[in-house]
Amino acid sequence: MPAPNIVLVMADQLAPHFTGTYGHPLVQTPSMDSIAERGVRFDAAYCPSPLCAPSRYSMMTGRLPSQIGAWDNAAEWSAAAPTIAHWLNVAGYRTVLSGKMHFVGPDQLHGFSRRLTTDIYPANFAWTPNWDAAGERIGKWYHNMDSLSGAGQALATYQMDYDDEVGFATRRCLYDLAREPDDRPFFLAVSFIHPHDPYVARPEWWNLYDQDEIDLPGPMPAELDPHTVRIRAGIEADTVGWTDEQCRNARHAYYANTSYFDWWLGDLLAVLDETGHADDTVVIATSDHGDMLGDRGAWFKMSFFERSARVPLVMAGPDVAPGTVPNVCSLLDLAPTLLDIAGVPPDELGTLLEGRSLWPAATGAADPVDETVGEYMGELTSHPIFMIRRGHYKYIHCDTDPPQLYDLNADPSEHHNLAGSADLADVTAAFAHEVTQRWNSTAIREQVLASQRARRIVHAAAPQGWDYSPPRDPSNEYIRDHMDWAEAGPKLRYPASS
């Protein structure tokens, strides 16, 4: 049987908690719902790092951020790191990227044979954090409460412009893939920016929701952990703050933009159906991380609490068995999963992957693994933060902070830190020991500091970076004088005339 096509569609900053697919009573996500209904929904999927670039780099390589130097949103990603796209090229796939992948550095393809759009964010070192001055708030490029005070409706924003371009380019690409005289399978990665802040939506999506029905965050825990305190200070939530109306506006726009993303997902599914590829394509929908949306008095991401670190993950296609998978998993698992789908054993490509294949679980087999790990080395900390999720326990460690242990079955809101509980002293001690065995926090911190210092010098001297310009050749597009009009029309028609 030929290997199936693979289409990976990503949102940005979409927590599963705020989708109809995962049970939110208001948010409309019919396209994601349809994938889950005819396929599989993973109910405990995490990002490897709750920040855009590190999460995406890890997803693409199947390796943790500390293994590939993916420290933060301005970390250069080595061109020598094999990615899903490299492996699938070797396996005979056509590989295409459309949209955001937050590549930083001169390599703007990382194995993809074609890239249809530029990125939405800078490809240089502009967004380098500074752990040498970790207590100083970042001004120029960092999140703040403007995302809430400015939340609402607009007819156009740079994010809408970007996603419209990504969607249009992807639609055309799907038709091109169908009419190309090439029977190789394709891997198409499509990455939209919504519902990432700023929280601004077009009226047609905003009007799907009644402002009075927008839910507010739940109650605050009795005591905030130190990292959440740092986040609140960094985003000015503790000084500027927000009103209930601003919070409703922000969540309203977030829900609207989730539906907007879902509409594009449905549009691409429709093109797959039109071109006859619905039955021979594995479709995966996910996100790079979530959004706290006011939970714990915090917004955006950067923490390992559920709304920041969890991601939606649904999959449908040939051989996928409808159902749900409760086991803990991660975007780290996508690289071995896609290789499994393509029929390529990872060991044949000489690579070391941190994750496991989810394909057996997606096709109906039992999954013996129920754990994952994560790392955070970005802004608003001065030391690495590590997370272990195993079964119903989540353990979070940072050298500067008290340990955190949560029982997610008994305490899904993560309000009760059990690390000091005498009844769970052995569990806490075992996790603490595992952290020291898995990670050398001091060595990682020194690597992060050295990288930040070097990047600040390079950016100060040469700030222009490596922004990607998609190649085009207008002299050979549509109809030109050297073409035979009668031949060009039928060649580009899909389906071909009988």
Side-chain angles (χ1 to χ4, degrees):
M1 180 178 175
N5 305 309
I6 302 169
V7 174
L8 172 65
V9 185
M10 294 187 71
D12 196 317
Q13 207 162 293
L14 176 57
H17 311 77
F18 305 116
T19 68
T21 309
Y22 284 83
H24 195 282
L26 293 180
V27 185
Q28 301 173 38
T29 50
S31 303
M32 199 181 300
D33 296 351
S34 72
I35 296 175
E37 288 164 3
R38 63 186 175 91
V40 62
R41 187 187 72 198
F42 292 86
D43 285 352
Y46 286 82
C47 62
S49 184
L51 196 65
C52 300
S55 180
R56 290 162 184 269
Y57 295 4
S58 287
M59 179 193 75
M60 288 293 297
T61 60
R63 304 186 70 191
L64 284 166
S66 63
Q67 296 172 339
I68 55 174
W71 313 119
D72 51 61
N73 273 344
E76 181 181 2
W77 183 12
S78 170
T83 70
I84 294 170
H86 288 115
W87 295 316
L88 291 180
N89 283 334
V90 173
Y93 275 70
R94 295 171 282 172
T95 57
V96 186
L97 170 62
S98 180
K100 173 186 174 179
M101 205 52 85
H102 213 137
F103 297 157
V104 173
D107 185 352
Q108 289 294 306
L109 291 177
H110 285 287
F112 285 99
S113 299
R114 279 187 279 170
R115 186 169 185 180
L116 307 181
T117 70
T118 189
D119 214 305
I120 192 168
Y121 289 154
N124 64 356
F125 298 150
W127 293 1
T128 302
N130 186 358
W131 284 10
D132 286 315
E136 296 179 9
R137 190 185 175 276
I138 302 166
K140 177 179 178 181
W141 54 265
Y142 204 63
H143 301 270
N144 60 33
M145 291 297 97
D146 288 350
S147 288
L148 276 79
S149 62
Q153 301 181 63
L155 296 178
T157 66
Y158 73 89
Q159 295 200 158
M160 296 175 198
D161 293 346
Y162 188 76
D163 277 355
D164 284 347
E165 179 183 351
V166 171
F168 172 80
T170 306
R171 280 178 55 90
R172 174 176 284 187
C173 179
L174 283 170
Y175 288 120
D176 286 344
L177 289 167
R179 58 194 172 191
E180 285 177 359
D182 189 336
D183 59 1
R184 292 179 300 156
F186 59 81
F187 168 52
L188 174 59
V190 190
S191 187
F192 297 93
I193 187 66
H194 286 94
H196 193 291
D197 64 292
Y199 308 114
V200 181
R202 275 190 59 86
E204 62 265 34
W205 305 109
W206 178 276
N207 291 335
L208 288 176
Y209 300 96
D210 184 335
Q211 175 83 346
D212 294 335
E213 294 181 357
I214 301 299
D215 51 324
L216 291 173
M220 293 273 284
E223 183 177 356
L224 290 176
D225 62 284
H227 184 54
T228 297
V229 172
R230 291 192 295 268
I231 290 174
R232 284 174 48 79
I235 65 175
E236 300 182 316
D238 63 342
T239 53
V240 176
W242 65 85
T243 66
D244 281 355
E245 181 183 9
Q246 289 172 339
C247 184
R248 276 202 172 88
N249 284 341
R251 288 167 76 102
H252 190 156
Y254 184 93
Y255 297 171
N257 285 331
T258 296
S259 293
Y260 168 62
F261 160 77
D262 187 81
W263 177 84
W264 269 120
L265 174 61
D267 188 76
L268 301 182
L269 293 174
V271 178
L272 283 173
D273 188 49
E274 288 177 346
T275 56
H277 285 308
D279 295 330
D280 62 8
T281 300
V282 174
V283 177
I284 302 169
T286 188
S287 180
D288 53 357
H289 51 75
D291 191 322
M292 294 298 286
L293 277 194
D295 189 54
R296 308 179 81 84
W299 291 80
F300 320 122
K301 54 267 188 176
M302 302 160 294
S303 85
F304 280 112
F305 290 109
E306 289 290 278
R307 283 163 180 76
S308 169
R310 279 271 307 280
V311 295
L313 182 60
V314 293
M315 184 187 309
D319 299 325
V320 175
T324 58
V325 176
N327 298 52
V328 175
C329 62
S330 167
L331 295 179
L332 280 170
D333 302 321
L334 278 187
T337 301
L338 268 58
L339 293 179
D340 209 353
I341 293 170
V344 182
D347 54 3
E348 285 190 7
L349 297 174
T351 184
L352 298 175
L353 299 177
E354 182 74 23
R356 69 190 189 273
S357 173
L358 302 177
W359 191 236
T363 53
D367 188 350
V369 183
D370 192 22
E371 64 181 27
T372 195
V373 297
E375 305 173 341
Y376 180 75
M377 283 84 64
E379 46 273 358
L380 305 183
T381 184
S382 61
H383 290 69
I385 302 175
F386 307 116
M387 183 273 290
I388 302 171
R389 169 74 201 270
R390 180 173 295 120
H392 56 94
Y393 287 123
K394 180 194 289 183
Y395 183 79
I396 303 171
H397 170 90
C398 181
D399 289 351
T400 61
D401 303 337
Q404 298 176 72
L405 176 69
Y406 299 97
D407 182 338
L408 295 181
N409 283 354
D411 178 27
S413 297
E414 301 169 290
H415 280 200
H416 305 291
N417 181 6
L418 303 175
S421 167
D423 293 340
L424 294 173
D426 290 347
V427 174
T428 303
F431 275 122
H433 178 70
E434 184 175 345
V435 167
T436 65
Q437 297 302 299
R438 281 184 175 270
W439 292 285
N440 184 334
S441 181
T442 300
I444 291 174
R445 183 172 188 270
E446 289 304 314
Q447 288 179 281
V448 172
L449 283 166
S451 171
Q452 290 179 354
R453 292 163 184 163
R455 284 183 279 150
R456 288 200 299 272
I457 294 171
V458 172
H459 181 252
Q464 67 273 12
W466 305 274
D467 295 313
Y468 180 70
S469 296
R472 289 189 63 177
D473 181 13
S475 66
N476 284 295
E477 291 181 0
Y478 305 112
I479 300 294
R480 296 295 181 261
D481 187 51
H482 64 278
M483 300 176 186
D484 187 321
W485 178 88
E487 292 180 2
K491 179 181 178 182
L492 295 177
R493 177 170 174 167
Y494 186 86
S497 58
S498 54

